[in-house]
Amino acid sequence: MKALTEMNPRLRAWLGFGLGALVLFAAAPALLSDFRLSLLAKYLCFAIVAVGIGLAWGRGGLLTLGQGVFFGLGGYAMAMHLKLADAGPGNMPDFMELYGQLDELPAWWAPFANPAFALAATVLLPMLVAFGLGTLVFRRRVRGAYFAILSQALAAAMVILLIGQQGTTGGTNGLTDIDGFFGYDLDDPVNQRMVYFIIAAVLLGLLALTRQLMRSRYGELLVAVRDSEERVRFLGYNPANVKLVAYVVAAGMAGLAGALFVPAVGIISPALIGIVPSIEFVIGVAVGGRAALLGPVLGAVAVAWAKTALSERFPGTWTYLQGAMFVLVVAFLPGGLASLWGMVRRRRETPPAPAPVTGDQALIKEVAV
Amino acid sequence: MTAGGLSIRGLRVVFDGFVAVDGVDLDVAPGDIRFLIGPNGAGKTTLVDAVTGLVKASGSVRFGETELLGRDVHRIARLGVGRTFQTAALFEELTVLQNLDIAAGAGRGPWTMLRTRRAVPDDVAFALEAIGLAGRRDTLAGTLAHGQKQWLEIGMLLVQNARLLLLDEPVAGMSHEEREATGELLGKIAADRTVVVIEHDMDFLRRFARTVTVLHAGKVLSEGTVAQVQADPKVQEVYLGHAAAESEAVEA
Ligand SMILES: Nc1ncnc2c1ncn2[C@@H]1O[C@H](COP(=O)(O)OP(=O)(O)OP(=O)(O)O)[C@@H](O)[C@H]1O
Ligand SMILES: [Mg+2]
């Protein structure tokens, strides 16, 4: 273990990704039934959202309590395309025919028939909304609780909007019965597996991207903004822009996760993107450890898995358990489960020598400035 | 970039009807080390806040040819105005090196920002030596000793390439040797910069001030060399007596 901690970080990263790939691409498909594997695919979508939250909240201090909005935008963009593809060219999606209120496809649906447009929209639409909201909010120096409340309000507003426009959005039911995924039949277990592999690959790719962001100079600056925004301003940076980047990237990840969720689960609906799911995303991240790279991923998967397992056995108690878990972590383990690893490591090492009280004043005198 | 002087005219800062800075005129020439003194609540920090854009003010503050009032904090900083705070404000969870690197980087483009730092930039290495923290560059700033934190702040101003340095009580809580070292560092820094130091410590002032301005109740009470200010009866009345009493109380 000690050898691992002293290893060159680049080598360690490669090993970590290799191990992750082994688990996701070899172990999980070999060990899990089709049903369990499709559940894992769903959890990994939540994990992708969590990676973004880890960046924005863990490193940037932005309590993103409205990621459901971006997850939903990505999900609906993908589902709209898949519904149109299922219906075939020139036809309306089945639920529109069913409600029979519309004579033709609404204009804002039409571009989603184009696969390239729809795919781009799953990521760019959430990023655009985040950019608009973030610009308004961060420039005006809204922070902390107000930012969180605003995010929640946006999630609530989006749900209300979707439910209110039943004829064109599917209302409370959402967009369901999605059968095909770019020509592949989603009822076929082989294709379900393919979807799982795509999701796993995207997760690993985004982890690599996020790792680079966290280690870059931008990543250091983001932590500086989190810890002392005012000080950063006095160094000549505009903290609003620094936060905006993390927020927009996190929104893009949530959008992509929503888009992948649709073929994995076959549905997107208001219940999956409102206030409660938005909070659940954050709980997973808090439990796993928001500031670590892998903490959010493990937390999201663990919490989603626990939710399935426990609500199968004790229906009705999950909400309380989840709340209790959140409170316990926040109160006693603010670094999440990921910080346990660090604690164990520190226990084993000898305590560091105390810092000398006075510094190298002599040096100051000698060095010409 | 040549060092500009600081030129303040009719500066006024009002907090909810309370006038904290009341019509201050102040000129600091390039290369000067100006000490700003005055009893608690005189408005020293508020004056620096106004110059750096933190509080709204009326009047005029010029640095070189540029008017500073009305600009955003980060824009003023980019014009070459740097400051420290009464209580050290560092990024405690980042290392000494990271703190300095961030301070050096406001002009970096997106591409550089998105990459990992491969080597220590020259100006950062230079500042590390200058502030005597080269051996501690990978230490978390939060774990530094008090005096070292203050030096790191000064180092951040150096790499930020500030031409006007506003230091709010930089030697508070330092030992005698640390004060000496800091004072000499300031002397070197001032060679091609303009330095304004807020300070209560009279010994430190006598050793290192070139010129002194005394503030009292938001107004300039007296200005000149250390000897001139010390000889001013108004100053003795409101400030020096007060400070002497205070330092006796501290030493007792
Ligand atoms: N944000 C604020 N709102 C209201 N009043 C303020 C504010 N900041 C400062 N003041 C008041 O303005 C006056 C000047 O404060 P300032 O901090 O500038 O004094 P100072 O000369 O720096 O004193 P010290 O030596 O104690 O640091 C004080 O009476 C203070 O209470
Ligand atoms: Mg003060």
Side-chain angles (χ1 to χ4, degrees):
Chain A
M1 197 145 93
K2 184 138 194 201
L4 198 65
T5 60
E6 280 166 9
M7 212 184 281
N8 167 337
R10 196 168 254 206
L11 188 64
R12 210 169 62 193
W14 279 113
L15 272 180
F17 277 101
L19 193 69
L22 214 63
V23 169
L24 290 176
F25 290 102
L31 297 175
L32 298 177
S33 66
D34 283 341
F35 172 67
R36 292 285 160 194
L37 195 68
S38 75
L39 278 182
L40 182 58
K42 177 167 120 179
Y43 303 161
L44 293 187
C45 291
F46 298 151
I48 293 174
V49 181
V51 173
I53 295 178
L55 180 73
W57 182 38
R59 296 295 170 121
L62 304 168
L63 184 45
T64 49
L65 269 175
Q67 294 307 84
V69 171
F70 307 123
F71 186 82
L73 285 171
Y76 272 90
M78 176 65 92
M80 283 162 70
H81 172 70
L82 297 183
K83 287 306 280 182
L84 288 171
D86 280 351
N91 294 328
M92 290 204 292
D94 50 8
F95 75 94
M96 287 189 194
E97 305 271 7
L98 199 70
Y99 297 140
Q101 300 164 341
L102 296 167
D103 299 327
E104 58 176 23
L105 196 65
W108 59 274
W109 267 75
F112 288 91
N114 180 326
F117 176 88
L119 274 181
T122 61
V123 181
L124 296 183
L125 206 59
M127 290 175 97
L128 204 70
V129 171
F131 182 83
L133 185 72
T135 306
L136 281 176
V137 168
F138 302 144
R139 288 270 147 84
R140 281 168 201 278
R141 308 198 187 174
V142 177
R143 9 182 167 164
Y146 296 102
F147 174 67
I149 291 168
L150 208 70
S151 305
Q152 287 264 286
L154 194 67
M158 177 149 161
V159 165
I160 291 167
L161 189 77
L162 286 168
I163 293 178
Q165 303 296 315
Q166 184 162 18
T168 53
T169 64
T172 321
N173 297 336
L175 301 177
T176 59
D177 303 319
I178 288 157
D179 301 323
F181 182 60
F182 297 95
Y184 294 95
D185 179 5
L186 286 173
D187 288 334
D188 186 340
V190 174
N191 293 337
Q192 270 301 332
R193 247 165 207 258
M194 175 192 70
V195 169
Y196 163 81
F197 283 126
I198 293 175
I199 292 171
V202 167
L203 174 62
L204 282 181
L206 290 179
L207 273 174
L209 179 87
T210 306
R211 177 176 182 275
Q212 174 57 29
L213 268 182
M214 286 179 174
R215 293 171 53 86
S216 71
R217 283 183 150 126
Y218 168 76
E220 294 175 349
L221 182 58
L222 186 62
V223 171
V225 169
R226 176 193 72 190
D227 292 346
S228 183
E229 182 173 341
E230 213 50 65
R231 189 75 186 85
V232 170
R233 202 170 270 132
F234 282 104
L235 293 174
Y237 297 95
N238 187 354
N241 295 340
V242 181
K243 293 199 250 184
L244 194 59
V245 171
Y247 186 52
V248 168
V249 168
M253 291 191 190
L256 193 53
L260 293 168
F261 181 89
V262 170
V265 182
I267 180 176
I268 188 79
S269 73
L272 293 164
I273 70 173
I275 287 187
V276 173
S278 293
I279 294 176
E280 285 181 342
F281 288 140
V282 168
I283 292 181
V285 174
V287 168
R290 59 182 155 132
L293 178 63
L294 284 182
V297 171
L298 299 178
V301 172
V303 168
W305 171 79
K307 179 177 181 174
T308 312
L310 292 174
S311 36
E312 271 168 17
R313 249 167 272 169
F314 320 100
T317 57
W318 168 247
T319 320
Y320 302 104
L321 273 173
Q322 181 171 248
M325 204 158 59
F326 185 58
V327 170
L328 283 177
V329 166
V330 168
F332 298 109
L333 200 63
L337 297 176
S339 64
L340 283 177
W341 166 254
M343 282 183 197
V344 171
R345 213 167 62 190
R346 246 167 284 143
R347 280 272 164 83
R348 298 189 160 207
E349 282 164 12
T350 46
V357 182
T358 52
D360 324 323
Q361 307 97 325
L363 244 177
I364 287 192
K365 294 180 186 163
E366 279 152 30
V367 179
V369 175
Chain B
M1 208 175 356
T2 53
L6 176 68
S7 165
I8 297 176
R9 288 289 168 274
L11 188 71
R12 220 174 122 83
V13 180
V14 184
F15 295 117
D16 301 323
F18 172 75
V19 185
V21 176
D22 191 3
V24 167
D25 293 344
L26 190 71
D27 285 290
V28 187
D32 196 0
I33 302 183
R34 171 69 53 93
F35 272 58
L36 203 55
I37 63 172
N40 294 112
K44 306 178 296 289
T45 299
T46 307
L47 185 138
V48 168
D49 287 348
V51 171
T52 53
L54 189 60
V55 298
K56 270 209 159 84
S58 59
S60 159
V61 176
R62 282 173 168 277
F63 175 50
E65 295 300 305
T66 320
E67 176 65 48
L68 300 184
L69 285 194
R71 290 180 196 260
D72 284 340
V73 167
H74 69 277
R75 301 228 176 267
I76 294 176
R78 286 202 175 204
L79 289 169
V81 179
R83 72 173 291 184
T84 63
F85 295 82
Q86 216 159 333
T87 47
L90 299 163
F91 310 120
E92 307 231 320
E93 296 198 16
L94 297 176
T95 65
V96 169
L97 174 60
Q98 287 171 324
N99 271 273
L100 287 170
D101 189 60
I102 287 174
R108 289 183 186 135
W111 181 241
T112 316
M113 289 305 293
L114 291 178
R115 297 200 336 191
T116 314
R117 179 183 46 252
R118 292 259 174 259
V120 180
D122 289 344
D123 52 349
V124 171
F126 195 66
L128 274 171
E129 289 294 331
I131 59 174
L133 291 177
R136 314 215 58 185
R137 62 168 228 207
D138 295 319
T139 309
L140 289 186
T143 65
L144 290 176
H146 177 78
Q148 293 175 324
K149 286 187 180 175
Q150 302 277 23
W151 287 333
L152 180 52
E153 288 243 37
I154 295 174
M156 287 165 76
L157 294 186
L158 291 181
V159 294
Q160 186 187 347
N161 207 8
R163 313 317 294 177
L164 170 63
L165 282 73
L166 305 157
L167 309 174
D168 200 349
E169 306 197 15
V171 300
M174 281 190 184
S175 70
H176 182 70
E177 298 83 61
E178 286 173 327
R179 280 166 198 237
E180 284 294 303
T182 309
E184 293 185 18
L185 180 62
L186 289 184
K188 285 166 190 158
I189 288 172
D192 52 355
R193 295 178 178 86
T194 309
V195 179
V196 177
V197 182
I198 297 177
E199 200 41 76
H200 282 292
D201 185 86
M202 283 302 127
D203 286 332
F204 186 68
L205 172 111
R206 283 185 208 105
R207 289 273 287 118
F208 299 105
R210 291 185 191 154
T211 55
V212 182
T213 297
V214 186
L215 278 188
H216 177 52
K219 292 192 164 88
V220 175
L221 186 72
S222 177
E223 194 167 285
T225 63
V226 177
Q228 285 167 345
V229 166
Q230 271 185 310
D232 188 333
K234 282 182 296 188
V235 176
Q236 286 169 356
E237 190 182 328
V238 307
Y239 186 75
L240 293 178
H242 177 90
E246 206 173 60
S247 65
E248 270 160 27
V250 170
E251 274 155 24

